[in-house]
Every structure is written in C-alpha cells, then in structure tokens.
Amino acid sequence: MAVEPLRIAVIGQISAGKSSVVNGLLGEMSAEISALPSTDKATTYKCEVEGTDVINLIDLPGIDGSESVNKMLLKQITQSDVVLWVLKANQSSRQADITLKQMVDDFYVQAKHQNRKAPKIIMLVNQVDKLKPVEEWLPPYDLSDIQTAKGKIILDAVEYNKSLMKTERVIPLSVSQDRLNYNLDVLQENIQEMYQDGINTQLNRRRVEGDSIDYAEQAKRLYRLGKLVFDAAVS
C-alpha cells in the first residue's frame, strides 16, 4: 500500500463560489489535471506531477442545512487531509455553516475519536469584491495598513467570520473571470505550507483505522512533488 494523494475537500453553501475557487486553483497548478467520475455528487480532480497523483481536489455538494447532507459532508471532511471552507462574503445567513462546523468540532472531542488528527481547515471569505463600495476594486488590499473603505469592510468581514466560525485562519478572496483576482496566491501558499501536515493527518487517520504504515520515504517523495504543484505560480 502507498501513501495516498493529499485529499483536499472544498465545501461551502451553494452560492459561495466553490466552483470558481476550484477552477482558480486548477488554473494555477503546475500539474496534469483530470476529473474522475462523480460520486455522491462530488467531483474529484486528480492532480499529477511527474506521473504521480499528488493532490485530489474534491468539490463537494453545497451545504444546505439538511441532516442528510450534513452527515455526508461530515464523513467527507473527517476523511480529508485539508479542508477549504468557502464562505460568501456578503451573505448574512451563516447558520448552516455554523451547524456543520460544530458537528466537525464535536466529532473530534468524542472519546473514540480523540486520537484522530483533525484536518486543517482554511476558511475563505469569498467574493469580497462584491462588498460595498462595490464600484471600488483595486487589489491587492493590505489589511495591516488599511487605506480605503473597501479594505476596512474586507477586514471587518474577516474578523466577523473568524468569530462566527471559531477559527483563526481566514483568507479574504476573490476569484473572477472579469475582475482582478485577490489572494489566490495566498491560498496557494497556505496549501503548500499545510502539505506536510496534511500528509501526517492522512497517516494518523489510517493508523487509527488499523493500517500498518511505515511510509516515511513515500511521504517525503509525495511532499516533494506536492511542493511543485504551485511553485511556478507562487514564485
């Protein structure tokens, strides 16, 4: 048995812009991309470098607040190595996201799962270009030195969602065909930084599930290849 590709789940409500984020990432990858047959309404994109499958990027069905979808998404999240959670910046209704996030947090505090390493979650406040003032869009915006009304409201959206979703890692994002992209490169860098941790999450999960694993060399090679996925774009 081999170390599996890094499994990145992409989740969010239907209007959050998941597909735009996925397409934006795929367009920047230095990898050969192929789509696998859809299962459970999820589309998996296999990303290969030097003939090795290094990342599986999984675009999952939209969060709709239903019990059945929440159970399916919880299973997908807890079987993933990294999670991209897409939040629509100008959407006031966040309860469906909050409920699912609480389910994820509760899963890992259960006694039978306390030895499980939870995947790192990157929260993306997406479509920040649509925040007021809508007519202003001149990225990049340095949120540590805010100079404009747009920058102030983007920072407010980030802080609001940090509090609401009980997380420290929130990236404001805009991926659009007709406007300048914002922070797609930051998202790529975050995925690179989390690659090794994601592989360790996978190995931990498989050990807990009963696999006998000693894949140090395989994991190192997969990590090296994974670093190549975004190198051209980020550099």
Side-chain angles (χ1 to χ4, degrees), residues 99-224:
T99 299
L100 180 59
K101 175 63 161 51
Q102 189 62 55
M103 289 174 65
V104 174
D105 292 344
D106 290 347
F107 178 90
Y108 288 101
V109 298
Q110 294 176 40
K112 61 182 178 181
H113 296 142
Q114 285 183 351
N115 292 329
R116 291 271 297 263
K117 180 176 168 61
K120 286 291 194 299
I121 297 176
I122 306 175
M123 294 284 178
L124 305 173
V125 180
N126 193 31
Q127 303 180 34
V128 293
D129 58 306
K130 295 180 180 178
L131 294 172
K132 295 178 181 179
V134 177
E135 64 277 5
E136 180 198 328
W137 188 242
L138 294 170
Y141 291 92
D142 181 358
L143 301 188
S144 65
D145 182 23
I146 296 172
Q147 302 290 331
T148 68
K150 189 77 159 195
K152 174 64 167 61
I153 199 167
I154 290 173
L155 178 59
D156 288 347
V158 167
E159 295 302 324
Y160 174 73
N161 282 284
K162 275 185 181 180
S163 174
L164 209 60
M165 300 300 291
K166 299 179 181 178
T167 186
E168 288 300 314
R169 191 183 296 263
V170 174
I171 300 174
L173 186 71
S174 178
V175 184
S176 173
Q177 291 184 336
D178 54 4
R179 306 187 85 175
L180 292 172
N181 288 339
Y182 172 51
N183 273 353
L184 188 57
D185 56 339
V186 173
L187 175 55
Q188 295 165 21
E189 290 167 1
N190 270 257
I191 293 173
Q192 279 197 340
E193 289 169 6
M194 289 186 175
Y195 199 98
Q196 182 68 61
D197 186 81
I199 293 297
N200 290 336
T201 298
Q202 177 198 135
L203 296 180
N204 165 267
R205 183 175 66 249
R206 293 174 66 183
R207 286 190 188 101
V208 169
E209 291 175 350
D211 281 0
S212 177
I213 304 174
D214 183 15
Y215 296 148
E217 290 304 314
Q218 292 182 44
K220 286 179 184 177
R221 180 168 185 269
L222 199 61
Y223 176 55
R224 178 182 66 80

Side-chain angles (χ1 to χ4, degrees), residues 21-89:
V21 173
V22 169
N23 290 335
L25 285 172
L26 294 177
E28 296 294 330
M29 284 185 177
S30 302
E32 182 178 337
I33 311 296
S34 57
L36 302 179
S38 296
T39 57
D40 289 335
K41 299 180 181 177
T43 302
T44 299
Y45 298 93
K46 184 170 71 171
C47 310
E48 292 186 354
V49 175
E50 297 179 8
T52 299
D53 188 3
V54 293
I55 292 177
N56 282 348
L57 190 65
I58 303 164
D59 187 2
L60 290 164
I63 301 168
D64 64 4
S66 70
E67 183 178 358
S68 60
V69 170
N70 277 349
K71 284 183 177 179
M72 181 272 292
L73 291 174
L74 177 65
K75 181 178 179 180
Q76 292 283 344
I77 290 168
T78 57
Q79 291 293 319
S80 294
D81 309 319
V82 176
V83 176
L84 306 183
W85 198 310
V86 186
L87 307 165
K88 188 177 180 180

Side-chain angles (χ1 to χ4, degrees), residues 224-235:
R224 178 182 66 80
L225 293 175
K227 285 179 66 80
L228 299 176
V229 170
F230 291 119
D231 268 354
V234 172
S235 60

Side-chain angles (χ1 to χ4, degrees), residues 11-24:
I11 67 171
Q13 293 192 42
I14 291 169
S15 61
K18 291 188 296 96
S19 294
S20 295
V21 173
V22 169
N23 290 335

